Amino acid sequence: MFDFTQHLATRLRRLATPQAEPIPGTAQLPNSAGGYAWAVDKWARLDRFLVLGVEGGTFYVGERELTRESAAAALDCLAEDGARVVRRVVEVSEGGRAPKNDPALFVLALAAGVGDDATRAAALAALPAVARTGTHLFHWLRYVKAFRGWGRGVRRAVGRWYTAKSPRDLAYQVLKYPSRDGWAHRDALRLAHPKAPSVAHDVLFRYAVKGWEGVLELKGVGDMDVMERIEAVQAIRQMTPAAAARVIGVYKLTREMVPTELLTHAVVWEALLDGMPLTALVRNLGVMSKVGLLVPGSDAARTVVGRLGDRDAIRRARVHPVALLAALRTYAQGHGMKGQGAWAPVGQVVDALDGAFYLAFENVPATGKRVMLALDVSGSMVAPVHGLPFVSCREASAAMALVTAAREPEHRFVAFTNGTYPSLHSRMGFNSGLTPLAISPRQRLDDVVKATSALPFGGTDCALPMVEALRHRWAVDAFVIYTDSETWAGSIHPVQALREYRERTGIAAKLVVVAMASNRFSIADPNDAGMMDVVGLDAATPQVIGDFIA
């Protein structure tokens, strides 16, 4: 007898389709690695683009192609509901969900250029909410130029960006972010030509357009606070480091307002540290150690440790968890990622960065469920996180999984490798397997990242957590898989393995797929209410996973 049911069956226990083939009767599509997965809908694709971006592409897809695919999804969303797109852009940007704000600015520019009248109006009205800094504004101006000209709507929107700010806030933006991306405040003001609502605004507009010479005639007439701040920025260019430090302390100047030659002195950085924005503090830890300001037991080190331990400050500053991960990885190794600029890391600061990563997340209560955390450490996961070229997807996934593990006492860590539990399907030449990970949330984050980075690659078989859990009789309520969904190496699809696990154990196990790349694939069946697809990396991810598991 020829057993036709080895190739097609409806009983879950017998149903097994190789991942290199689509499951019969489903809408699966080929992914970029040669396997088959489900395509996420255009709104999920929009979320992935806004949160993850496309910078650098993925292991399988180049940056240009990925940008075009993501933009096509955004255009489809705009055609269906432009107002919803604008609201989503504002939610992601203001909520600090993305490591970088550029994708949100790009989609906002797209909406302002190709949307219908109502969408364009909504996008232009949302400009101050998404473009919160001068750099953001210049990025948006560069993007919007690709989709439309400087019509009345853009001129009014850019003009409002300047006139709606208080003189003090506008002075901060003009002095800190004078130019980026080939744009300067001079260019934006000349094209928008807004009417200054106050004398202080007039002073700042003149300074941006004509420089210091343009405001000398208003000295003694305009807003004294604004005028003195401008004068301070001009004056420190000729000062000694000690004198410049005193001026920095009085006027709370930022690093961008200080000449480069002064930034090699510890006394200048000490003045900058007092009042330095938290995001800037995180970025400049290496240089502060290099110039000798951050040393063990110093007042500066105690200040840094205290600020990194302030949960409320971290949340208010929208410091993204992955930015803290990147800072920890860079600072702890004692040199920049390109080997430029060496420093001696301060142990207390390294520990504080590790703690700050966890503080960036909300306090998520434990669900009490049995959770298996499965990390895709395949070759495709060495691709960098978009916008953070020195942090790979596999490193970010390990860090994010630790947050859930820290809150769930009944957890098990595994990784897709060629390791301990060889795949039952290795005869097919896939060289895939599952390796238990002896890592703990009590370990420091950089140690865990280092351990996962050293794991051997294998073919990605995302069905293995369910296959091995069934094989070894592990009781699991939820499988959480961090992956780019470029799975191809098994003889059974992950959803089939999960349904077989449910049927044979009687456990209504759930599957959470955490997307680590901005592609259009997911191994989660969108028609199964026990499976969920999540855009990973941000502070909301552990809360969403916990709510779903519970």
Side-chain angles (χ1 to χ4, degrees), residues 37 323 413 469 489 528:
F413 265 116
D528 189 323

Side-chain angles (χ1 to χ4, degrees), residues 84-98:
R84 178 181 172 186
V85 172
V86 174
R87 288 196 301 271
R88 191 62 180 145
V89 167
V90 174
E91 288 169 3
V92 171
S93 179
E94 287 193 323
R97 291 201 58 199

Side-chain angles (χ1 to χ4, degrees), residues 26 64 103 199 223 288 295 453 520:
T26 68
R64 181 176 183 273
V199 174
D223 183 287
M288 286 192 287
V295 294
S453 297
R520 61 193 180 100

